[in-house]
Amino acid sequence: IIPEVEYLMTTALRLLISPIYRRWCCFVAILVGAPLRPVLTLQHSVKPSWRWPVSNLLHCRTISSPPITWTMPPLTRSRIALGGSSAEDNTFILPTETIVDTTPPLPSTPQNGASLKRSKYFSISDGEPTTVAKKGRIATGKGSVSEAIKSTSQQKSPKPKTPTKSKKSPSATKPPKSPKTKSSSPRKREKIEPGSLPPPKDWEKIYSLVQELRADKTAPVDSVGAEALPERHLGEVVYRYQVLIALMLSSQTKDAVVGETMKALQKHGLTVENIQQTDNQTLNNLIQKVGFHNNKTKFIKESADILITTYNGDIPQTAEEMMKLPGVGPKMAYIVESIAFQKNSGIGVDTHMHRMFNDLKWMKSTTPEGTREQLEGWLPRERWGEINALWVGFGQEVQQQKEKMLKKALTCSSPLEALAPIKKLRFDVSKEAKRYGLEDDVRKAMGS
């Protein structure tokens, strides 16, 4: 047999015997042949081997595995067998020549008997396989592969580990800190007392102009708000209950939709006793046009049970007690308290008032609750009851009735001063004046 063919057959047989230790590059090298010989001899080699380098690649195994031996039929040319041959038992063994040590030893590993991991790279030196570790390091040894394993294990003896300091443990040089006691309740921000904050500059002038612009009471809140919708002729108890229901329906809902829903409930019979006897599905159908009607149906039913069992069919007389009812927040409670009992223990601030007051730079807050606290800190208490309906209606006219608001601002006692806060509330005076043909009036008011 031609030596080259015999060598290829021997290599292929070795590949079939232990395929799990082979790499895809070996297949390519066997198929392509001799042209890849210089390429497969890696840069770490001392000199190219006269033997086929692919065979050495085929025998590069994880250092921790034992040497492989197998028996084959006698070959006519024993020099072709890379590992050498024996005429007596025809046993082929992996090469046992000395492996050249060309790099520093590998870093240490624990002495727990763990074997080295398989390397990603291989190198050939003087025709013998060497395993290339990370960044070009070569694990080497002398004698047989088992001796190389032993030598490598000795080189990789672990260093004694120094105890690491825990991040949580206190430093040795610093005295231990006294443990902090965790409070059972979350941290509460400091409450702002009424009258403790300085009022914003020129707020009274702007406030009086808004009162003048809202004197006609033609905003949606004036006709379909919580104060206008309830049926007072049915008695004070029913009136107060309907005020509470109107406020519970107003959350995330326009006033026009609230007014339509309140009329449907009043036609059905809007008393606490009748609502308690109404089933959930019927009540849900009556208020289905408002936002979050499913949740509001549950809140109204639960509140009716509480009012009958605890308050004898009436509503609580304080805002603090009202906030204990399902679905009732501070804004609703303070407005109900002001309308139903003419008491003002707080200011009802919704999202529209929160946005307007921050646009006017009267305060700097991120939530309506923060706006309420700051507003109570400087606004005189005698204005707490009127401010909600006054400014909610003003915001509705600025956003929904722009032509009417622009005409009222141009005809008021101080047009120039009235246009200033309107501009701050994101009202484009020039654009709206051009739309409604009021450009000349605006120029006259602006003095140009």
Side-chain angles (χ1 to χ4, degrees), residues 59-78:
H59 293 297
C60 287
R61 300 174 295 108
T62 303
I63 306 176
S64 60
S65 59
I68 301 175
T69 60
W70 58 84
T71 302
M72 294 182 59
L75 300 176
T76 55
R77 298 177 183 270
S78 60

Side-chain angles (χ1 to χ4, degrees), residues 21 23 59-67 115-119 122 131 145 149:
Y21 296 104
R23 295 198 177 257
H59 293 297
C60 287
R61 300 174 295 108
T62 303
I63 306 176
S64 60
S65 59
S115 60
L116 297 176
K117 295 182 178 179
R118 178 189 294 273
S119 174
F122 297 96
T131 304
V145 177
I149 299 171

Side-chain angles (χ1 to χ4, degrees), residues 140-358:
T140 62
K142 293 185 178 181
S144 63
V145 177
S146 60
E147 294 178 357
I149 299 171
K150 182 178 180 181
S151 175
T152 307
S153 302
Q154 293 176 356
Q155 294 176 4
K156 305 182 70 169
S157 58
K159 296 180 180 179
K161 295 184 178 180
T162 57
T164 58
K165 294 183 179 180
S166 175
K167 294 182 179 180
K168 296 183 179 180
S169 61
S171 176
T173 58
K174 298 180 180 180
K177 297 181 180 180
S178 58
K180 297 181 179 180
T181 57
K182 295 184 179 180
S183 57
S184 57
S185 60
R187 179 183 297 179
K188 296 181 180 179
R189 57 184 176 182
E190 186 176 353
K191 185 179 179 180
I192 301 175
E193 297 295 334
S196 61
L197 297 180
K201 184 180 179 181
D202 297 334
W203 75 271
E204 291 181 308
K205 183 183 295 185
I206 297 175
Y207 196 96
S208 61
L209 283 172
V210 172
Q211 286 179 321
E212 181 181 354
L213 296 175
R214 287 277 291 116
D216 55 357
K217 293 187 180 296
T218 57
V221 69
D222 298 317
S223 58
V224 290
E227 189 173 0
L229 289 173
E231 301 171 309
R232 188 180 288 272
H233 64 277
L234 297 179
E236 292 297 323
V237 176
V238 176
Y239 173 79
R240 289 193 289 264
Y241 178 70
Q242 291 190 6
V243 170
L244 175 63
I245 296 300
L247 265 299
M248 294 179 70
L249 295 175
S250 66
S251 176
Q252 303 295 323
T253 307
K254 293 184 177 180
D255 287 341
V257 179
V258 175
E260 184 179 352
T261 305
M262 283 292 293
K263 291 179 181 179
L265 288 173
Q266 289 170 353
K267 185 178 180 180
H268 172 74
L270 189 52
T271 61
V272 63
E273 294 82 9
N274 192 27
I275 293 299
Q276 186 189 35
Q277 297 175 2
T278 304
D279 60 276
N280 289 11
Q281 186 61 42
T282 302
L283 181 59
N284 195 15
N285 293 336
L286 290 171
I287 67 170
Q288 62 181 352
K289 294 183 179 180
V290 302
F292 304 99
H293 56 89
N294 293 326
N295 291 336
K296 292 178 182 179
T297 298
K298 181 179 65 175
F299 295 152
I300 291 173
K301 289 288 292 182
E302 293 176 357
S303 299
D305 296 335
I306 296 174
L307 295 179
I308 290 177
T309 57
T310 307
Y311 299 98
N312 196 23
D314 203 351
I315 65 173
Q317 296 186 6
T318 62
E320 289 74 13
E321 292 293 326
M322 293 181 199
M323 289 185 226
K324 298 178 182 179
L325 298 175
V328 178
K331 182 204 79 169
M332 301 179 191
Y334 291 130
I335 296 176
V336 172
E337 183 186 52
S338 176
I339 296 174
F341 300 103
Q342 292 76 45
K343 295 189 302 184
N344 301 297
S345 62
I347 301 175
V349 177
D350 60 2
T351 55
H352 306 289
M353 295 175 61
H354 163 68
R355 176 180 56 82
M356 287 189 294
F357 293 153
N358 279 271

Side-chain angles (χ1 to χ4, degrees), residues 20-35:
I20 61 175
Y21 296 104
R22 307 304 176 235
R23 295 198 177 257
W24 61 270
C25 61
C26 303
F27 293 97
V28 178
I30 292 175
L31 294 177
V32 176

Side-chain angles (χ1 to χ4, degrees), residues 374-389:
Q374 295 185 35
L375 188 61
E376 292 175 356
W378 59 264
L379 186 68
R381 187 177 286 271
E382 59 269 15
R383 299 184 185 270
W384 286 15
E386 66 180 15
I387 188 172
N388 182 272

